[in-house]
Amino acid sequence: MGNENQIVIERHGTVTLLDIKGDVTSASESFFSQAYANPDASGARGLVLNFSEGAYINSGGIAVLIQLLAKTNKTKQKVGITGLSDHFKKIFKMVGITRFATIYDSVSEAISAL
Amino acid sequence: MKEVPVHISLPSVLGYERIAMECAASFAKLKGFQPDKVDDLKTAVSEACMNAIEHGNRCNAGSNVLVIMQFNEGELLLWVKDEGRGFKHKPEEPNIERKIMRLQTPRGLGIFLIKRLVDHVDFDAATDRGHAVHMRLSLPERMASNAVFK
């Protein structure tokens, strides 16, 4: 239920941007898995996950993100996160996501840093 | 004197928690809560309703989740009631390292978040028809004195 995701994949040198459109819930799992299965994502040195402004993210969506971070941690890929509101920055820190990914203020900043 | 409570009844369909979440946000704004507190409440209500839908009512659309909100002496009181029996076992405390190592399910974050986002929560409030989660969020004193009582 709810709007479906669309994840646009853009390669920027050794870094790949996953531009995540829509809300992030447990229903997003297949979209994230599919996006990560793309060699541009799974083979990149760094990944930037850009969330939509004002997106609804619940614990089911955070679980989907944790599953993705389990994969990137295994392959030692660096992960940057952008597009989060102050509230979700706080939530991601609270849950511990920031131990496995760095939050940046903009996509360009994240791409340069990774 | 306590204000008259607001009641919202939801069918147990995942996604409908957002109706309660937006209503709670409107209610909190009306009572003078600041945007950061409103955001905290939205996440807490959404997570409590999802637990009620998924675990309490096992996604049986015919079973209702009842959300009751009331403002009393500077506090927003909120109950999320389902038709289940509550927690059989206390969920394991989430540990991000264990989740990343796949030693713990990636899920199970709802209760953890609720505990950290509201001032008080009771997960074992019994009701006549099942189980309830009771949450309380206080308005800072300065704001409480300016709150609009309607």
Side-chain angles (χ1 to χ4, degrees), chain A residues 14-112:
Chain A
T14 57
V15 177
T16 293
L17 168 68
L18 301 187
D19 197 15
I20 303 152
K21 313 279 187 200
D23 299 330
V24 183
T25 68
S26 56
S28 307
E29 191 173 351
S30 59
F31 295 93
F32 274 68
S33 297
Q34 231 171 20
Y36 189 71
N38 185 308
D40 275 346
S42 47
R45 192 184 68 187
L47 268 188
V48 177
L49 311 177
N50 182 44
F51 291 89
S52 307
E53 196 186 327
Y56 166 64
I57 306 171
N58 63 23
S59 61
I62 296 172
V64 170
L65 177 60
I66 290 171
Q67 285 174 293
L68 178 70
L69 292 177
K71 292 175 188 168
T72 57
N73 186 59
K74 209 171 175 183
T75 53
K76 302 195 186 317
Q77 288 172 289
K78 289 182 178 176
V79 179
I81 295 175
T82 59
L84 292 178
S85 64
D86 287 345
H87 175 67
F88 284 111
K89 283 179 186 169
K90 179 173 83 176
I91 297 284
F92 278 31
K93 199 173 172 190
M94 210 177 255
V95 170
I97 296 289
T98 48
R99 287 186 226 164
F100 297 92
T102 307
I103 295 174
Y104 295 96
D105 287 333
S106 69
V107 169
S108 56
E109 190 193 338
I111 290 173
S112 316

Side-chain angles (χ1 to χ4, degrees), chain B residues 9-16 49-66 81-84 129:
Chain B
S9 180
L10 306 170
S12 292
V13 176
L14 275 177
Y16 279 37
C49 287
M50 282 198 303
N51 280 344
I53 292 169
E54 270 190 281
H55 306 299
N57 291 346
R58 299 183 182 279
C59 293
N60 172 16
S63 297
N64 287 329
V65 172
L66 186 62
K81 299 183 176 186
D82 62 49
E83 297 173 19
R129 290 187 57 207

